[in-house]
Amino acid sequence: MTAEALIAPAPAPATFDPGAEAARATAAILHDTLHGTERGVVVDSPPGAGKSTLVVRAALELAEAGRPLMVVAQTNAQVDDLVLRLAEKNPDLPVGRLHSSDTDPYDKALDALGNVRKSAKAADLAGQAVVLSTAAKWAHVKVDEPWRHAIVDEAYQMRSDSLLAVAGLFERALFVGDPGQLDPFATVGSEQWAGLAYDPSSSAVTTLLAHNPALPQHRLPVSWRLPASAARLVSDAFYPYTPFRSGTDHGDRSLAFTVPSDGSGPDRVIDEAAASGWGLLELPARHTPRTDPEAVRAVAAVVRRLLDREGRATSERSPDPAPLTAARIAVGTAHRDQAAAVRSALADLGVTEVTVDTANRLQGREYDVTVVLHPLSGRPDATAFHLETGRLCVLASRHRHACIVVCREGVDALLDDYPSTEPVQLGTLVKFPDGWEAMFSTLDHWQQHKVSWRP
Amino acid sequence: MSLITTLARLEAVRTGRAQPAATVRHRHLSDRPLVFVPLTTAGEAGAPLGALVGTDRDAPHLLVVPQPRDRDLRFAFLADLADIVLPHIEAYAESVEAAERTETDPETGKRVKVEVDLCADAAQLVVPSRAGIDFVRLLGRSMRFRRTAEQDPETPHPAPPRVPLLGRWLTHYGERARVPGSSLLLAMTDLLGRHWATGQSTLEDQHLGALLAWIAPENSPEDSPENSPQDSPEPCRTGAEAARRAELARDADGQLLCPPAGPATDPAFDNRLLAPAIERYDRARTALAAAEDGLEADDRLGALTAAEREIRELVDSRTRPTWDAVWRGLDLLRALPEGAHTEERWMRDRWSFTSHRDRILAGEPPQPRRDDAVTAANKLATREREQARLEAQEALDDPLVMAGRRLSGEAFAGEVVDVVMAYSESKRPSPRPLVTVRTDDRPHLGERVKVYRSLGGRPQTAEYVGPAFPDDTADGTEPGTGTGPGTTTDDGTLVLRITDKMGRGKEPEPGSVPEKGDLVCFTLFEHEQRGGAKLPDPEQTPWTHGGPPGEAAAVPEAADAQTEEDVL
């Protein structure tokens, strides 16, 4: 969320029809992309607003219009996912997957697709209607004739210097991304360039808009992933100036468990989350190491009970309840060692199929239920890393049904002790909301869904 | 802060002495470093007060600006500095050896080897603290755009001839210091902080006196014989006490016993000693100017010289302890053997030094005030690559650093307990031996995660297959399929598949596969860094980044225009 993306929210119509709103936004985006005069179009997409669907649709329409298209994504997993979605929509479209020369450079599922040609050399893929690869791989490609069009996916997670390396490959581009997720980072200091429009460590969209302020900017208004219970909080806390709505209403989705509660803390918080969409499992206040064993065990216990109690998720996707399987549950943490600790705690309880990862790696993923170890739980201090808005936003916006936050008591006092102290750099855009504010407003909301537990 | 650093700091608190954070020296140290201890004037950014500079620890050059607000005196200081620093740098710049470099041929576009000069060694600059590096950068920026009378006869305040050149060199040193692992310009506090862990915070480690008090308390300045007995009542028992005394202890006049390493000075010194001395100097100068005859002028010149000498003594008294401390730090660091990869990184410093020399010889303009988009991106990419390289090389050079990586799950060491020969499933099967390693470490391994070990200085790659079950195969699972990624069994035995560096034959080359009983150490991080993608030339900057810098950038930038505040 950056100040430059500040667009006055359109007055909500008396009856909000999410489908129609989303269709209208998509139509405008596609019109600007296919028929606009500007060299770039920027689309802000809140979590689960159909960003990938938009990318696939735009790719298909550009391909149908006969415009050679390159697609730039940030990770190999994202590229493979887009290739599979493209093939699903149009199995005859000649697609090129440009990959690295490492071992296993792409998802083996691509081998089953007849229309997809794979190569480590861009020249081999000339003539394919759409060629997809990662920004890192594209940076090594040299062309005489640039592509007519490009789609840059996850553009807010792409670094400015990464765009610099590939921007010569295309004439025009559609930039799609979620401004609320984690900003790209550099492993060394880059204060030297703070305030420059082309600061290489800033996001690609920041640089693009600083140099081309007149580019059309669109916004997807509806989150299809987040339930009505979550969309409001996530929108208010992380997208205060670009609000969005959920595509479903209260009551459209439900989560029920076959096995009744045994009255324990984990079971009570599961029931609270199933009923309200949020659950806060609060452990007693304590300063702990990062891999707080008690909190890690609590996370594992909640996951174990989620599986044991045989959840049934009902949603607009299927009229019949779908079982809540391990594949539909994820655990999110701030640090990798925390994720490793949770994995081994889960293994001790015999759970192996549940995804456990850091916020960085959970970006773009979707689950029915998520269990989050709060970034500030048990900490004696709050650093800029832990207060980063995007980190909490990713963790709190991966779920379709419910999100359970495991946290130690005392985070409110910690926030009082550590106000944001990020240095203000001249010429840089001030980000809204700041992480401190977002931490506070989410915690405040979660207090209403609190289950205190002393393991 | 990593867990092992936290542990070392806790141990330092308990023992009262700094603990080693490295077993080898991870930075190159020149045989003849140029030590530079600058002081700046309070409230006047970029107005030097004085400095000790030189390569001889017993005979530093003392440079002083008796009235820091006087532009002419400041220029005189900078000219003197240039006369000491530039000959030192130029001596290194003139001694070259032949070297090869790969360049892109402008006509064919091919990568070709060209023979170029490489400076046989580079001049190394050592300052006391990180603030000293910032000051070097500031001096560079303030000087490199200056015009000499020769360059521009019209310029209102021409700089002495060699000052802009010094500015360009100091700018280069300041910029190079931002590259991780570089050693052209070093801060002593950073150097000592890298090799020892004290029982205080990293912020407190920025105080050179306090840092040395933890590392070598018996030599701390308050215990040295030249201090009067009442200044050092009793020897400090712990590093914490010695550090506290270094930071806070004052003499009867309220002056710090261990003056700050600068460039900022202690306010008590500014107010009670320096300001009155400068005032006396100003009065003497005014009096001299007002002298009416030669005899009077002679007298007043004597008074002025005395006033100036007083300031020189004051500056000397505040810089000398820091000067000695820097050399003491150098002694401590030289006692450590040099890390194996240090020389390779110093080679990069030599290339950097040589390329700057070449730019000056080619008559190129001074470094621009701001980097253009392509230069900034290239610098960031280089620094990130050097950071990764430094982290890997330090771990490979130093078992203590590697221990930290093992503790954080990024590496593991252990004994090979079994080797089973296996082959890849291709037309020409290549060896893919399965190596079982028993380790007490808890690495963060996932299925097919790549791990690396150093084999004769080159990285050999293996992939993690899974935990081994030496006794328990009752459930019928194959090794490596038992549990999900990221877990190891409690006995810490795991199976790796070696995938390269075994030669081209069907049988692996001798010594390329670990044998039973071997002690091995694998890392989860890569040992060598891939080169990044080539960015476009600045003239090809794309539209997303504002397009080419254009004509404006081609013209060398002028110095800031004069404002009324500039003229004092």
Side-chain angles (χ1 to χ4, degrees):
Chain A
M1 168 59 43
T2 54
E4 96 251 23
L6 204 154
I7 304 163
T15 50
F16 182 81
D17 179 354
E21 288 294 317
R24 197 175 312 150
T26 308
I29 294 162
L30 290 173
H31 180 268
D32 273 352
T33 306
L34 285 152
H35 311 293
T37 51
E38 295 285 346
R39 296 190 72 173
V41 176
V42 177
V43 178
D44 291 2
S45 162
K51 184 164 54 65
S52 301
T53 312
L54 173 72
V55 168
V56 168
R57 183 138 169 233
L60 291 174
E61 297 213 0
L62 284 164
E64 267 164 41
R67 300 200 205 164
L69 173 68
M70 61 180 277
V71 177
V72 184
Q74 308 311 313
T75 67
N76 279 307
Q78 287 166 1
V79 176
D80 291 335
D81 184 53
L82 285 175
V83 172
L84 291 168
R85 281 165 180 258
L86 274 173
E88 193 186 323
K89 291 278 177 198
N90 184 350
D92 303 321
L93 185 72
V95 170
R97 166 70 164 102
L98 181 64
H99 58 76
S100 72
S101 37
D102 293 346
T103 46
D104 296 328
Y106 57 86
D107 189 343
K108 285 275 171 281
L110 267 52
D111 288 332
L113 304 173
N115 64 322
V116 179
R117 185 185 290 181
K118 299 157 296 270
S119 174
K121 290 204 185 79
D124 295 347
L125 303 174
Q128 303 295 99
V130 184
V131 182
L132 302 94
S133 193
T134 59
K137 178 65 186 175
W138 278 121
H140 289 277
V141 172
K142 297 258 176 305
V143 285
D144 301 326
E145 181 93 348
W147 265 268
R148 293 267 311 277
H149 225 112
I151 296 177
V152 181
D153 195 11
E154 300 288 4
Y156 283 93
Q157 274 70 58
M158 183 183 198
R159 235 167 54 179
S160 170
D161 55 350
S162 185
L163 177 63
L164 177 63
V166 301
L169 296 174
F170 52 79
E171 286 171 0
R172 313 157 45 100
L174 170 66
F175 297 85
V176 186
D178 181 350
Q181 297 209 7
L182 282 164
D183 286 331
F185 61 93
T187 57
V188 294
S190 54
E191 301 78 20
Q192 183 180 5
W193 303 291
L196 291 180
Y198 45 73
D199 175 357
S201 66
S202 64
S203 99
V205 180
T206 306
T207 294
L208 175 78
L209 290 177
H211 287 289
N212 305 276
L215 295 186
Q217 294 175 53
H218 295 272
R219 180 160 66 82
L220 294 175
V222 176
S223 172
W224 301 103
R225 174 195 306 150
L226 291 176
S229 59
R232 183 68 191 275
L233 175 64
V234 172
S235 175
D236 286 354
F238 302 104
Y239 302 82
Y241 301 113
T242 52
F244 62 87
R245 302 275 292 264
S246 62
T248 52
D249 209 341
H250 292 279
D252 287 356
R253 291 182 189 168
S254 70
L255 183 62
F257 292 93
T258 319
V259 178
S261 163
D262 63 6
S264 68
D267 272 17
R268 279 185 290 139
V269 82
I270 287 171
D271 287 339
E272 173 64 31
S276 72
W278 296 106
L280 173 64
L281 184 62
E282 196 171 69
L283 306 179
R286 193 171 177 187
H287 286 167
T288 64
R290 234 153 63 173
T291 50
D292 179 359
E294 225 169 46
V296 163
R297 276 200 299 273
V299 170
V302 169
V303 174
R304 182 72 260 179
R305 287 302 291 166
L306 277 170
L307 292 169
D308 287 350
R309 292 183 59 192
E310 294 168 23
R312 297 271 175 273
T314 316
S315 77
E316 73 287 354
R317 278 192 190 164
S318 67
D320 300 325
L324 179 66
T325 59
R328 300 300 305 153
I329 301 175
V331 177
T333 64
H335 292 281
R336 278 192 293 180
D337 52 1
Q338 294 173 330
V342 171
R343 270 185 222 120
S344 86
L346 281 172
D348 290 346
L349 297 179
V351 180
T352 54
E353 302 291 299
V354 168
T355 305
V356 183
D357 241 322
T358 57
N360 297 61
R361 288 155 188 246
L362 288 176
Q363 289 190 104
R365 312 275 286 276
E366 177 176 299
Y367 302 89
D368 281 344
V369 179
T370 55
V371 183
V372 172
L373 181 56
H374 197 281
L376 294 178
S377 172
R379 285 195 68 82
D381 63 349
T383 70
F385 174 90
H386 300 95
L387 286 177
E388 191 175 343
T389 326
R391 182 158 285 106
L392 188 63
C393 180
V394 170
L395 293 173
S397 62
R398 298 302 99 201
H399 61 282
R400 285 176 54 80
H401 284 274
C403 174
I404 296 168
V405 181
V406 176
C407 188
R408 283 197 178 271
E409 204 185 330
V411 168
D412 45 354
L414 177 68
L415 285 170
D416 282 347
D417 290 345
Y418 285 86
S420 318
T421 51
E422 282 298 276
V424 175
Q425 307 272 13
L426 291 179
T428 53
L429 289 163
V430 179
K431 299 222 161 191
F432 287 101
D434 75 346
W436 191 92
E437 175 65 35
M439 281 284 170
F440 210 89
S441 55
T442 49
L443 200 67
D444 208 35
H445 183 86
W446 293 335
Q447 291 297 329
Q448 302 162 23
H449 308 286
K450 180 169 78 178
V451 170
S452 296
W453 187 44
R454 193 172 284 272
Chain B
M1 194 160 58
S2 68
L3 187 53
I4 200 161
T5 319
T6 311
L7 291 174
R9 284 183 183 274
L10 289 173
E11 209 165 290
V13 171
R14 203 181 55 192
T15 59
R17 288 289 296 270
Q19 298 298 309
T23 61
V24 296
R25 174 158 46 78
H26 291 290
R27 298 291 182 277
H28 174 87
L29 282 187
S30 165
D31 295 336
R32 278 184 76 233
L34 185 76
V35 176
F36 180 45
V37 180
L39 288 187
T40 184
T41 313
E44 294 276 337
L49 170 64
L52 280 182
V53 59
T55 54
D56 182 350
R57 74 190 297 172
D58 299 320
H61 299 272
L62 174 67
L63 306 178
V64 174
V65 190
Q67 172 44 280
R69 290 178 180 158
D70 184 318
R71 182 195 308 272
D72 294 329
L73 293 178
R74 250 165 30 201
F75 269 154
F77 166 88
L78 296 173
D80 288 347
L81 187 63
D83 285 340
I84 297 165
V85 175
L86 286 177
H88 181 73
I89 288 176
E90 280 158 1
Y92 284 93
E94 279 158 15
S95 163
V96 294
E97 59 189 32
E100 266 189 354
R101 189 169 55 189
T102 321
E103 278 180 3
T104 309
D105 188 311
E107 281 172 22
T108 61
K110 283 189 185 138
R111 303 285 286 165
V112 287
K113 285 221 164 28
V114 286
E115 188 137 308
V116 290
D117 285 348
L118 172 64
C119 292
D121 200 359
Q124 186 174 53
L125 200 56
V126 180
V127 293
S129 62
R130 212 174 290 167
I133 291 185
D134 289 337
F135 193 68
V136 166
R137 210 171 276 140
L138 183 69
L139 283 181
R141 204 177 70 192
S142 72
M143 288 190 280
R144 69 178 192 265
F145 297 118
R146 291 281 169 211
R147 288 276 180 279
T148 60
E150 198 179 308
Q151 286 168 318
D152 178 8
E154 303 291 299
T155 189
H157 299 282
R162 308 248 286 162
V163 161
L165 183 60
L166 178 65
R168 296 176 63 175
W169 273 108
L170 293 189
T171 300
H172 184 74
Y173 271 70
E175 199 63 6
R176 181 70 191 168
R178 288 181 158 135
V179 177
S182 69
S183 301
L184 276 190
L185 170 59
L186 292 169
M188 185 48 69
T189 49
D190 285 348
L191 274 176
L192 294 174
R194 172 68 198 85
H195 295 86
W196 282 274
T198 65
Q200 59 188 2
S201 72
T202 49
L203 187 71
E204 290 166 302
D205 279 351
Q206 288 296 303
H207 190 293
L208 182 57
L211 181 59
L212 276 168
W214 275 98
I215 297 171
E218 70 273 21
N219 294 330
S220 52
E222 58 271 19
D223 296 331
S224 54
E226 60 259 36
N227 278 322
S228 52
Q230 70 264 28
D231 288 344
S232 49
E234 73 231 33
C236 290
R237 285 190 311 273
T238 67
E241 278 174 35
R244 190 176 167 76
R245 194 189 289 173
E247 279 173 34
L248 297 178
R250 291 179 184 271
D251 64 13
D253 300 333
Q255 298 299 319
L256 286 168
L257 296 179
C258 173
T265 45
D266 176 34
F269 165 76
D270 290 341
N271 293 330
R272 292 193 206 162
L273 301 179
L274 185 64
I278 290 180
E279 209 170 294
R280 280 193 288 280
Y281 173 84
D282 282 346
R283 272 203 303 275
R285 206 149 70 133
T286 320
L288 175 63
E292 287 177 351
D293 58 56
L295 204 61
E296 202 178 27
D298 265 3
D299 275 359
R300 292 184 179 179
L301 182 62
L304 179 66
T305 315
E308 186 178 338
R309 194 166 55 236
E310 195 192 342
I311 297 176
R312 286 181 66 85
E313 277 161 13
L314 280 177
V315 172
D316 187 45
S317 71
R318 300 303 119 164
T319 45
R320 201 56 185 248
T322 308
W323 171 269
D324 292 335
V326 171
W327 286 97
R328 216 142 44 81
L330 287 171
D331 288 343
L332 290 166
L333 288 159
R334 283 192 174 127
L336 291 171
E338 193 175 70
H341 284 99
T342 310
E343 200 54 40
E344 183 202 315
R345 291 196 298 271
W346 178 245
M347 181 65 98
R348 289 172 211 282
D349 283 323
R350 283 169 56 195
W351 278 112
S352 162
F353 181 82
T354 308
S355 67
H356 187 63
R357 177 200 80 136
D358 292 345
R359 279 194 291 274
I360 287 175
L361 288 179
E364 287 186 25
Q367 300 93 325
R369 192 167 313 176
R370 291 190 192 87
D371 293 327
D372 59 62
V374 174
T375 308
N378 273 326
K379 279 185 181 173
L380 180 62
T382 307
R383 289 177 201 169
E384 289 195 306
R385 203 158 52 238
E386 291 300 321
Q387 177 70 40
R389 191 198 311 274
L390 178 68
E391 283 172 8
Q393 291 184 341
E394 285 189 348
L396 292 172
D397 289 353
D398 189 339
L400 188 52
V401 179
M402 186 64 92
R405 307 299 290 266
R406 287 165 57 190
L407 199 55
S408 63
E410 296 171 283
F412 59 94
E415 188 188 337
V416 176
V417 292
D418 194 18
V419 181
V420 178
M421 204 51 210
Y423 291 89
S424 62
E425 292 169 9
S426 58
K427 270 185 214 153
R428 262 189 75 238
S430 330
R432 292 286 180 268
L434 291 168
V435 177
T436 309
V437 180
R438 187 191 299 275
T439 176
D440 294 331
D441 299 335
R442 300 295 296 262
H444 295 163
L445 287 168
E447 205 182 339
R448 305 207 66 180
V449 161
K450 283 187 180 156
V451 295
Y452 311 87
R453 71 161 180 154
S454 180
L455 181 67
R458 307 276 302 157
Q460 182 176 47
T461 313
E463 59 184 31
Y464 176 60
V465 180
F469 299 104
D471 306 314
D472 177 17
T473 44
D475 58 353
T477 50
E478 297 278 303
T481 56
T483 28
T487 57
T488 49
T489 48
D490 284 332
D491 75 336
T493 312
L494 39 90
V495 180
L496 307 171
R497 182 185 292 118
I498 308 276
T499 56
D500 65 2
K501 298 281 183 305
M502 289 172 289
R504 291 168 175 279
K506 188 164 183 300
E507 292 309 313
E509 282 174 7
S512 64
V513 177
E515 286 169 22
K516 198 169 169 176
D518 282 359
L519 295 178
V520 288
C521 179
F522 281 92
T523 67
L524 277 71
F525 52 87
E526 291 190 52
H527 296 183
E528 289 175 359
Q529 301 307 310
R530 301 181 195 199
K534 194 181 172 311
L535 292 177
D537 292 330
E539 304 81 62
Q540 305 289 321
T541 306
W543 60 278
T544 53
H545 287 63
E551 301 286 309
V555 184
E557 276 184 280
D560 283 341
Q562 291 283 323
T563 64
E564 272 178 36
E565 287 79 16
D566 281 336
V567 187
L568 289 162

